[in-house]
Amino acid sequence: LTSAKAPLRLRLDGAALAANWRWCESRGAGAECGAAVKADGYGLGATEVVRRLAEAGCRTFYVATWAEAEALGDATVGLSFAVLHGVGRDDVSATLASSARPVLNTLAQVARWREIGGGRPCDVMVDTGINRLGVAPTEIGAGIAEGLNVDTLMSHLACGESAGGMNERQRKALEALRGSTSAKRLSLANSAGICLGPAFAFDLTRPGLALYGGVPRAEAEGAIRQVVRVEARVVQRRRIEAGESVGYGATFTAEEATELAILNIGYADGYLHGFSGKGRALVGGKEAPVVGRVSMDLTAIRANAVPELAEGDWVELQYDLPRAAAVSGLSQYELLTTLGQRFERIRD
Ligand SMILES: *Cc1c(COP(=O)(O)O)cnc(C)c1O
């Protein structure tokens, strides 16, 4: 029990989350639209994300591990969950205690599920070129999934975010497996795949990034809304004279008298070094640039343009994902999943 308040705020815009899911769904030309909520809903809090998406009409969810499924507790009731890492050697008891189904990725997992699954449904991942997880198309052809109760036969795109022949090759490889298993449905598209058009949607899509405000491809620009807002507080305001420097390594030196505000956020919170000298705080419609290096728990901004900003005030950090990614050199995925433990997660 603690009386100390969380020092940082992470605002989750539930309406934007739901709108982004509906956009993904509308792009699927009648395909069902699921949601990837692994890594605690990409860092935003899986329980709340599942609740909001279920309200919007989402029924099928993907987590990476059985621990993630278990952590959702009652939030999974009435919904369909699949565990992307499948049923490993140490997962047997967790699998049997869960209502989620495994995504079987290897021949060993298929054999294990035959032994323990008792005819319960599973998904099967077939690797059509990413060479990450999944059985080979030839193995499906050879009948390794025969007799399994397969809900979804799925594959995953390697280069959905770019052009080139690989997307189409992977699409055809999955299409060629239609009817080769008992699968009720086929699934290929993540967020980027959804942008590639209805031919990639098959029966069920699995967006993650785009739900949370990420823009994987130009097709989603202007359609996807910002979901996450990051807020920090001013711990100290100070003024430095021309020639003085700021922070570790003295990487910023003032050319003139400069007003600073020191914020209580740093790389330990996921506001990583990529924002050093590049990030922006937003204060009442004005921008205040980050100066010097981001520290573990502190970040300095130039506050000349915001004389009203005082110790204890809250400021928003520019965290619109496509822009923040361009500025920081981090991926939109990393910007979400590295956000730390010091945030109060607020649902608007
Ligand atoms: C994470 C993941 C997704 C979602 O991908 P995004 O790029 O975030 O849309 C879909 N399918 C699989 C198998 C995944 O691992």
Side-chain angles (χ1 to χ4, degrees):
L1 208 71
T2 172
S3 57
K5 284 209 152 196
L8 300 168
R9 290 177 182 158
L10 201 156
R11 290 188 183 276
L12 176 82
D13 183 339
L17 177 69
N20 291 343
W21 182 80
R22 284 193 296 270
W23 183 81
C24 289
E25 189 198 30
S26 73
R27 296 275 308 181
E32 183 186 338
C33 184
V37 297
K38 60 199 184 193
D40 197 25
Y42 286 44
L44 306 188
T47 304
E48 188 61 18
V49 165
V50 167
R51 190 183 69 74
R52 285 305 313 236
L53 292 177
E55 269 174 26
C58 184
R59 287 293 167 267
T60 302
F61 296 86
Y62 297 89
V63 291
T65 69
W66 295 96
E68 287 179 357
E70 200 176 284
L72 280 158
D74 289 347
T76 65
V77 172
L79 303 170
S80 160
F81 274 77
V83 177
L84 290 165
H85 290 184
V87 55
R89 202 175 36 178
D90 301 326
D91 294 329
V92 173
S93 57
T95 307
L96 295 178
S98 176
S99 61
R101 60 181 186 277
V103 179
L104 305 179
N105 294 296
T106 67
L107 293 180
Q109 291 193 353
V110 169
R112 195 169 289 125
W113 190 243
R114 282 190 194 285
E115 229 170 80
I116 67 163
R120 276 170 53 191
C122 60
D123 290 354
V124 174
M125 175 68 81
V126 58
D127 195 315
T128 53
I130 191 170
N131 282 317
R132 199 177 64 167
L133 277 185
V135 300
T138 51
E139 291 172 327
I140 296 287
I144 59 118
E146 250 162 49
L148 291 175
N149 178 3
V150 182
D151 181 297
T152 305
L153 179 65
M154 70 171 81
S155 193
H156 194 57
L157 294 169
C159 304
E161 304 197 356
S162 38
M166 187 144 175
N167 294 325
E168 185 56 16
R169 273 207 308 283
Q170 289 193 270
R171 189 190 72 72
K172 283 188 174 136
L174 183 62
E175 183 61 49
L177 295 174
R178 196 184 281 284
S180 64
T181 69
S182 63
K184 293 187 199 60
R185 46 196 185 171
L186 299 182
S187 175
L188 177 62
N190 62 347
S191 301
I194 286 166
C195 294
L196 291 171
F200 284 78
F202 287 89
D203 307 307
L204 167 66
T205 58
R206 312 184 306 268
L209 183 73
L211 303 177
Y212 309 112
V215 176
R217 296 178 56 96
E219 292 89 340
E221 270 167 28
I224 292 298
R225 284 165 57 182
Q226 182 172 358
V227 171
V228 190
R229 288 176 200 278
V230 170
E231 293 176 6
R233 285 184 105 169
V234 177
V235 186
Q236 185 175 32
R237 223 191 129 106
R238 62 165 65 237
R239 176 191 153 98
I240 58 172
E241 301 305 328
E244 290 194 274
S245 65
V246 177
Y248 285 121
T251 57
F252 170 83
T253 300
E255 287 174 1
E256 58 191 354
T258 299
E259 293 285 331
L260 299 175
I262 313 300
L263 307 181
N264 64 342
I265 190 169
Y267 59 77
D269 303 299
Y271 197 67
L272 298 185
H273 181 55
F275 289 104
S276 295
K278 294 184 180 156
R280 292 267 182 284
L282 309 171
V283 187
K286 284 178 257 176
E287 291 200 348
V290 170
V291 292
R293 255 188 221 165
V294 173
S295 304
M296 186 182 294
D297 322 296
L298 296 169
T299 296
I301 57 172
R302 180 186 159 91
N304 294 41
V306 284
E308 70 282 10
L309 187 66
E311 184 178 324
D313 286 354
W314 288 94
V315 304
E316 180 179 349
L317 288 149
Q318 196 282 316
Y319 218 73
D320 174 57
L321 294 178
R323 242 184 95 190
V327 160
S328 67
L330 298 162
S331 78
Q332 298 180 68
Y333 296 88
E334 291 167 318
L335 288 173
L336 289 167
T337 57
T338 52
L339 291 169
Q341 299 305 310
R342 291 194 282 218
F343 291 93
E344 178 189 1
R345 284 169 162 75
I346 299 176
R347 284 86 200 192
D348 292 334

